[in-house]
Amino acid sequence: MYISGWGNFPRIHSKVYRHWSINQVQSAISNSSEIIPTGLLRSYGDSALNSATLSALSLNKILNFDQSNKTITCESGVSFMELINFLSRYNLTLPVTPGTKFITIGGAIASDIHGKNHHRSGSFGSWVQSIRIISADGTIHNCSHTEEIDLFRATIGGMGLTGMILDATIRLVPLKSTSIEQITFRANDLKNLFDLFEQNKDAEYSVSWLDTNSTSDKFGRGVLFVGKEINENQELILSEPKLNIPFYFPNKTLNKLSVSLLNNLYYRVNNSGRKQVAFDEFFYPLDVLNNWNRGYGKNGFIQYQFVVPKEFSYQTITKVLKTMHQFGISSFLTVLKLMGKSNDFLLSFPMEGYTLAMDIPLSNATLELAKKIDEIIIDNGGRLYLTKDARMSEEMFWKTYTKIEDFIEIKSKYDPNNKFQSLQSKRLGVGV
Amino acid sequence: MNSKRCLIIGATSDIAKELIYIFANNGYSLDLAARRIDELDRIANDLAIRYKTEVINYQLDIENLISVNQFMNNYKHIPDVVVFAIGYLGNQKLAETDWEEAKKIIDINYTNQIPLLNHFANLLEKSNLGTIIGISSIAGERGRKANYFYGSAKAALTQYLSGLRQRLFDTEVNVLTVKPGFIRTKMTSHLNVPPIFEGNARDVAEKIFKAYKKNKPVLIIPAIYKLLNMVIKLLPEAIYKKLNI
């Protein structure tokens, strides 16, 4: 069947294997010359695409729940929405969540996802206690901080390239509140936005939106959202999307003019102040709209997300925005966040510094712009998020992911014939 | 008060698996019958963690009448709801020349379900309470060259359920016939159908549960098949026979 990532680019034909029994998973692996595990296909680019894919969606069972030790063991295809709903009955929750609840545990591990609390809680991988994974020859490995440590370090953030995750044990945290007190700060320029992040670095959650269109004295203006847990516990039921985009919008719907208007409007409607918002609304504002990616049209879009070390962040983001102005290209769903420290996982994305994510409709100009921004990111010691990437060059990847050689050494041990490959890994030259 | 009890026969079909979770979420205890007991055990463990559901698993190979009889002897409860979620599409082309395949399609979709349907109809009639849900198919409405073995067996099942509903009209036992159109499941994973004619197992299961709660007699789903079915049934045979559908 035809599959694509969330950016609808690229779109390819794939033989999809979907099994729950270990025997069948093993035979799907052995029958394929190359294969990549998939879940809910919320990664944007080509990291979960190949001619054969191994879906985790039938691996959808919770295997064990230990309330007193605050751990849960579940199969890799269980979604965040299911888990968060289930755990809330015991006043527990997942320690880290990204901007959508429609992702799987397996995907969260493979992407080593981060959330609005990265500066305090780190990425998802640091909360994984152990993983059971099937490697290329069909062997089941139990890896953790104490067993098969090399495989553990390569699998978290490893984009599915070390094998098929069967299940994992995750450490949980208390669910302090089902509502979040959201404090909104409007920043009239980029400098102001950075200062606000610094002033709020002890806040539990923080994220900001940035206006990529604004110029002169409003250059880099934005809105910072800070979240604080308030001790109010009601029943938490995360909901399915309430609205649906049933078809693709015309490719030019989000053009320079409409995005500029939207950006202006968004800045104006978000006044400084504080209000109480529901868990769903604070963490997953876009999940309300099913298939929102169709708003970008059939051609699809790219999400360009980079992180750069803190000391170079301001100059980098200034340069990036100026480059976008030169190209006359802007982004609406633009997210800026101050991240905390990096971890030991070999292909993990986060590092201490600012990360900027932009959604841009796909065109030749967009791809040219992306190449220009790549240079700025490389020069400033940053890197791109593999989960969003659909077009990075092999050269850039090898320059910016500094632990790639260690990763490849471990991959060659568990996957000597390079069976686990994606279109992305081939493009980036992650061979053995 | 004891929770209500739901028996699902053919519990590992994709629609059944969705139904199981809806019944569990609504506080029912579950009796699950299917050929693959390992798959049932996996589901039962998950249900116990998620909903603290009491689950009893039964092995039942619907192809084998000995197994069907054994199951009826082993099963000692009077369920509030019995769901027949059994379907085997089979290989139409093969069945045209191979009686084994033709018989298998007929047995699974109709003949071998009858002892079970009779048994539970009598049981519920005696207790004068409960619901029988039979998952038949829109394919049973008019024969098509693409699947007339499957379609004719489902047609028989639909007629059986219709008759049973009439028989039990004076009782508190309800009979719900479900006629799904094309649903994307493992049974149909090799077929290509335009998306507007395609349903998914989750939606079907939710609609079945709602129809059961409202004591509805017949459910056609996805809704577009109601119209399609009407049109197809109205076509004169002289025209219908020429159609390539």
Side-chain angles (χ1 to χ4, degrees), chain B residues 98-111:
Chain B
D98 177 20
W99 168 242
E100 288 296 314
E101 178 67 4
K103 185 173 182 310
K104 187 175 169 184
I105 297 172
I106 299 162
D107 283 350
I108 295 178
N109 289 303
Y110 183 64
T111 317

Side-chain angles (χ1 to χ4, degrees), chain B residues 10-231:
Chain B
T12 56
S13 78
D14 283 350
I15 293 174
K17 281 198 262 185
E18 297 292 344
L19 266 177
I20 288 169
Y21 280 84
I22 294 172
F23 276 104
N25 195 17
N26 281 278
Y28 286 69
S29 65
L30 286 157
D31 297 323
L32 306 179
R35 187 169 49 88
R36 296 204 57 169
I37 204 87
D38 57 340
E39 190 167 5
L40 293 182
D41 287 343
R42 208 170 155 265
I43 293 168
N45 180 59
D46 184 63
L47 288 173
I49 297 170
R50 287 193 204 221
Y51 304 109
K52 300 193 162 68
T53 310
E54 283 179 41
V55 186
I56 305 175
N57 291 334
Y58 296 86
Q59 173 149 48
L60 168 63
D61 181 1
I62 194 76
E63 247 191 286
N64 177 351
L65 280 175
I66 298 167
S67 168
V68 170
N69 280 317
Q70 271 171 354
F71 166 72
M72 285 191 293
N73 287 331
N74 290 340
Y75 189 79
K76 303 288 184 210
H77 307 283
I78 303 174
D80 298 275
V81 193
V82 190
V83 182
F84 288 81
I86 301 158
Y88 174 65
L89 194 55
N91 183 334
Q92 167 73 24
K93 272 279 156 240
L94 181 64
E96 286 167 15
T97 53
D98 177 20
W99 168 242
E100 288 296 314
E101 178 67 4
K103 185 173 182 310
K104 187 175 169 184
I105 297 172
I106 299 162
D107 283 350
I108 295 178
N109 289 303
Y110 183 64
T111 317
N112 290 6
Q113 294 192 43
I114 299 307
L116 291 163
L117 276 161
N118 286 341
H119 175 74
F120 285 104
N122 296 339
L123 202 65
L124 296 192
E125 186 181 32
K126 213 184 281 173
S127 69
N128 194 28
L129 195 67
T131 302
I132 292 172
I133 302 174
I135 302 183
S136 186
S137 171
I138 204 82
E141 299 298 296
R142 196 160 188 180
R144 284 171 58 218
K145 63 181 173 186
N147 61 11
Y148 61 80
F149 290 97
Y150 176 77
S152 59
K154 286 293 193 187
L157 181 65
T158 298
Q159 300 312 328
Y160 176 102
L161 292 168
S162 168
L164 182 64
R165 181 159 41 245
Q166 214 175 39
R167 167 185 149 196
L168 297 174
F169 174 70
D170 284 335
T171 71
E172 293 298 312
V173 183
N174 187 46
V175 178
L176 168 62
T177 310
V178 182
K179 299 176 187 172
F182 182 86
I183 311 299
R184 183 60 67 191
T185 63
K186 63 191 173 198
M187 185 176 94
T188 59
S189 58
H190 57 292
L191 302 174
N192 280 322
V193 163
I196 55 157
F197 294 120
E198 190 179 308
N200 71 63
R202 167 79 59 91
D203 289 346
V204 173
E206 277 168 10
K207 297 252 163 62
I208 292 175
F209 190 77
K210 271 188 200 148
Y212 149 67
K213 279 288 183 190
K214 290 182 180 164
N215 282 335
K216 290 251 170 86
V218 178
L219 173 68
I220 295 178
I221 180 172
I224 190 163
Y225 283 90
K226 284 182 205 165
L227 185 71
L228 204 65
N229 188 36
M230 243 162 55
V231 173

Side-chain angles (χ1 to χ4, degrees), chain A residues 20-21 24 58-65 72 75 78 82 86 89-90 240, chain B residues 17 21 25 36 38-40 42-47 49-52 186 202:
Chain A
W20 60 268
S21 86
Q24 284 173 303
S58 289
L59 288 162
N60 57 1
K61 300 289 179 266
I62 300 175
L63 303 179
N64 190 40
F65 170 53
I72 193 160
E75 291 181 329
V78 177
E82 284 176 80
F86 167 74
R89 284 186 258 148
Y90 301 90
E240 298 282 351
Chain B
K17 281 198 262 185
Y21 280 84
N25 195 17
R36 296 204 57 169
D38 57 340
E39 190 167 5
L40 293 182
R42 208 170 155 265
I43 293 168
N45 180 59
D46 184 63
L47 288 173
I49 297 170
R50 287 193 204 221
Y51 304 109
K52 300 193 162 68
K186 63 191 173 198
R202 167 79 59 91

